[in-house]
C-alpha cells in the first residue's frame, strides 16, 4: 500500500490562499464557507507549526568543531522594541 506524501509548506500555503480568496469573494454557500473556514484554520495551524520548527532549526548554529550552540540574537529581531533596536520610534531625535 502506497503512503500519501505530506504536502509541502508552499502547497499548503497556496491552498490556504485559495480558500481565503474564495471566502473573500463571498459567493460561496454558507455550508461550504464554514467547511472552507475550518480547513483554513487547520492549514493555518499546520503552517504555523512548520514555521516554528524551522525557526527552532535555524536558531541552532554549528561551531567549527561540529558542536551545536543556540543562537540568541534578539537584538537583530526588527519586531523587538527593546534595548538594542534603534529603528523607527526609538525616541532618538536629532537636534540641530
Amino acid at each position: 500500500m502506497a503512503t500519501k506524501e505530506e504536502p509541502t509548506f508552499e502547497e499548503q500555503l497556496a491552498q490556504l490562499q485559495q480558500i481565503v480568496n474564495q471566502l473573500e469573494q463571498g459567493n460561496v454557500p454558507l455550508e461550504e464557507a464554514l467547511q472552507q473556514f475550518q480547513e483554513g484554520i487547520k492549514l493555518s495551524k499546520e503552517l504555523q507549526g512548520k514555521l516554528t520548527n524551522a525557526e527552532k532549526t535555524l536558531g541552532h548554529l554549528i561551531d567549527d568543531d561540529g558542536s551545536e550552540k543556540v543562537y540568541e540574537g534578539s537584538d537583530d529581531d526588527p519586531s523587538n522594541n527593546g534595548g538594542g533596536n534603534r529603528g523607527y520610534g526609538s525616541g532618538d531625535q536629532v537636534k540641530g
Side-chain angles (χ1 to χ4, degrees), residues 35-90:
Q35 184 179 10
Q36 286 183 340
F37 180 78
Q38 290 174 338
E39 180 66 21
I41 294 296
K42 178 184 168 197
L43 281 168
S44 177
K45 288 180 181 180
E46 289 176 10
L47 290 168
Q48 184 60 47
K50 287 182 178 183
L51 283 175
T52 300
N53 286 338
E55 200 172 65
K56 287 178 184 177
T57 300
L58 292 174
H60 291 82
L61 300 176
I62 305 297
D63 286 341
D64 291 337
D65 64 358
S67 64
E68 186 177 293
K69 75 176 197 179
V70 176
Y71 175 70
E72 296 183 25
S74 62
D75 286 345
D76 294 339
D77 183 0
S79 67
N80 180 9
N81 293 326
N85 188 356
R86 291 304 203 196
Y88 291 111
S90 65

